[in-house]
Amino acid sequence: MRIAMFTETFLPGTDGIVTRLCATLKHLEEEGHEVLLFAPAGAPSEYASAKVIGVPAFRFFLYPEKKFAMPWGGFAKQIREFQPDFIHTINPAFVGLSAIYYAKRFRLPLVASYHTNVPAYARHYHLNWLEPALWWYFRTLHRQSQINLCTSRATMRELEQHGFENLGLWERGVDVQLYSSARPSDAMRQRLAPSAGPTDKILLYVGRLATEKNLEGLRPGLERMPNVHLAIVGDGPHRQGLERVFSGTHTVFTGYMHGEELAQAYASADGFVFPSTTETLGLVLFEAMASGLPIMAANSAPTQEVLEHGKAGLIFDADDIESMVATMDELLFNEERRAVLNQRAQEIAQDLDWSGPTEQLLHHYERLYAESVKLQSTPIRGSR
């Protein structure tokens, strides 16, 4: 198949969307499919076998550290020359408008995938009045697509409640080999917690630093447990504010890590913390699972789904300090409980390779193509 993809964000940026997309492109290459990817300017000119077209980009105020692709006049020529079988718009918001336009113009089937719960973010930026408008906007975009893919069943249920239609599942995945093969490192442990003693514990966070991640709520636990050190891997618009919040605690901000370096950070910590309640999935949870790192996560529907309602990780109430502190203590110091959680997490991780989600995606593609051949009665080359 020949697939034209439109993505709002891509390399050199890093987040769960980029991780998923990179893994998908590699597996699509292995399966012999061709991809034309429209991504923000600054991306590499190719990835796996995909040709990457950089398009003008801008910075959105909710994500000031990232560049987002925007509508561009050069799409038509590229699409006409590539002759795709259909279009896939990933997390449509800005450039996704162009994906919708050209799918209609060239009579191509359209797939959309929903990765970021932007309407829920409005509350964290004190923009509650904006949330209904954001739901309307994203619902309107996704209603133009024949298939709308969700990364978790919990997200699918939420989108159903908000009137989204034609929903399908594009499930979890992780580079199991990378994370399961990493080994603890004294040097990495020293980097994550320079002042840690031999019996101290290191709690790891990996992700974007923004207000919706609820990282501030972890400070009371550090105050009550001075032998616990927090290592925050990542960056974002809220970093300076968080550095002030955690001043005086055993907290280290490392910036972003990638690849083997990140895998070693997982392997060298004692526990993983995921305080966000606004995620659609949380791919870092699967990275921690594959690394054999016990998890504590704030209660939300996607987290309950991923952690099997507490069987594969501890779940705490993000609004209850006592719940968070008790969970932190159990995660880091209850060896029997840690062993039980790790066993279930490792069982789950064995089936998390990206080949499975890619096959699931291909199934959606094949079904859409089979059902939508009549849409292509007008050849792309003849379109004006």
Side-chain angles (χ1 to χ4, degrees):
M1 287 183 287
R2 299 172 67 83
I3 308 146
M5 290 185 173
F6 289 68
T7 181
E8 306 288 346
T9 181
F10 193 53
L11 298 170
T14 180
D15 57 22
I17 300 171
V18 175
T19 298
R20 178 184 287 265
L21 181 53
C22 288
T24 300
L25 292 175
K26 290 178 183 177
H27 282 280
L28 289 175
E29 177 186 29
E30 293 172 1
E31 296 288 334
H33 303 286
E34 297 180 63
V35 177
L36 176 67
L37 178 67
F38 296 103
S45 60
E46 61 181 34
Y47 189 87
S49 62
K51 178 182 179 182
V52 181
I53 306 296
V55 303
F58 71 106
R59 297 187 187 275
F60 182 48
F61 76 100
L62 291 180
Y63 293 85
E65 81 281 11
K66 296 176 70 67
K67 289 185 176 180
F68 289 85
M70 60 190 295
W72 174 58
F75 290 125
K77 179 178 181 293
Q78 297 288 342
I79 294 173
R80 189 178 291 115
E81 291 177 354
F82 183 65
Q83 293 280 299
D85 295 311
F86 51 84
I87 290 175
H88 182 171
T89 176
I90 298 165
N91 219 36
F94 307 113
V95 75
L97 292 169
S98 293
I100 293 168
Y101 171 77
Y102 286 103
K104 292 181 181 295
R105 174 175 171 178
F106 291 132
R107 304 173 69 91
L108 289 167
L110 179 66
V111 178
S113 47
Y114 187 93
H115 301 262
T116 306
N117 198 349
V118 175
Y121 287 3
R123 296 190 297 273
H124 292 273
Y125 288 89
H126 307 293
L127 299 171
N128 300 53
W129 56 270
L130 187 58
E131 185 174 356
L134 289 171
W135 278 119
W136 171 85
Y137 178 69
F138 288 108
R139 180 171 58 248
T140 300
L141 292 185
H142 281 267
R143 278 183 172 171
Q144 313 308 310
S145 177
Q146 283 75 55
I147 298 178
N148 290 300
L149 300 179
C150 307
T151 57
S152 68
R153 290 177 175 82
T155 298
M156 184 182 295
R157 289 191 294 270
E158 182 173 17
L159 295 188
E160 284 177 338
Q161 293 171 2
H162 285 279
F164 287 62
E165 301 170 343
N166 305 321
L167 298 174
L169 196 60
W170 183 15
E171 289 184 292
R172 58 198 181 183
V174 71
D175 188 337
V176 177
Q177 176 61 30
L178 173 66
Y179 292 104
S180 64
S181 62
R183 295 293 176 263
S185 160
D186 290 339
M188 176 58 74
R189 197 169 170 85
Q190 176 70 16
R191 181 177 172 186
L192 297 177
S195 62
T199 61
D200 288 356
K201 302 293 184 181
I202 301 176
L203 190 62
L204 180 71
Y205 168 83
V206 177
R208 182 170 177 264
L209 308 187
T211 59
E212 69 269 12
K213 303 301 182 179
N214 293 328
L215 283 161
E216 293 93 333
L218 300 176
R219 173 158 183 143
L222 300 180
E223 292 175 338
R224 297 193 195 183
M225 305 171 71
N227 55 343
V228 174
H229 299 246
L230 177 63
I232 296 178
V233 176
D235 214 328
H238 198 37
R239 176 167 177 168
Q240 289 186 348
L242 289 171
E243 288 176 342
R244 290 191 294 270
V245 168
F246 288 100
S247 177
T249 67
H250 295 308
T251 301
V252 169
F253 293 80
T254 70
Y256 284 120
M257 294 186 187
H258 306 277
E260 293 181 0
E261 182 184 43
L262 177 58
Q264 192 173 76
Y266 278 108
S268 301
D270 298 298
F272 185 77
V273 63
F274 188 74
S276 175
T277 60
T278 60
E279 308 299 319
T280 59
L281 180 64
L283 285 177
V284 290
L285 292 173
F286 301 119
E287 294 174 355
M289 284 182 178
S291 301
L293 190 60
I295 297 167
M296 62 178 287
N299 186 30
S300 70
T303 295
Q304 291 278 2
E305 179 179 326
V306 170
L307 298 183
E308 296 187 338
H309 302 276
K311 294 179 181 178
L314 301 179
I315 297 174
F316 67 94
D317 184 348
D319 298 320
D320 185 340
I321 292 175
E322 297 303 325
S323 172
M324 183 271 296
V325 173
T327 304
M328 187 182 297
D329 181 72
E330 184 174 9
L331 179 81
L332 297 173
F333 298 101
N334 186 333
E335 293 301 328
E336 182 178 351
R337 183 68 169 134
R338 286 166 56 83
V340 171
L341 295 173
N342 262 340
Q343 179 178 350
R344 181 55 191 151
Q346 290 294 295
E347 291 171 354
I348 294 173
Q350 292 176 5
D351 298 321
L352 291 182
D353 185 81
W354 278 113
S355 59
T358 304
E359 287 303 315
Q360 188 178 39
L361 177 65
L362 285 170
H363 174 75
H364 289 300
Y365 283 171
E366 290 164 357
R367 177 169 62 87
L368 176 65
Y369 180 71
E371 293 175 353
S372 306
V373 170
K374 292 182 180 180
L375 287 173
Q376 296 175 292
S377 58
T378 301
I380 290 178
R381 293 189 190 280
S383 299
R384 291 288 185 266

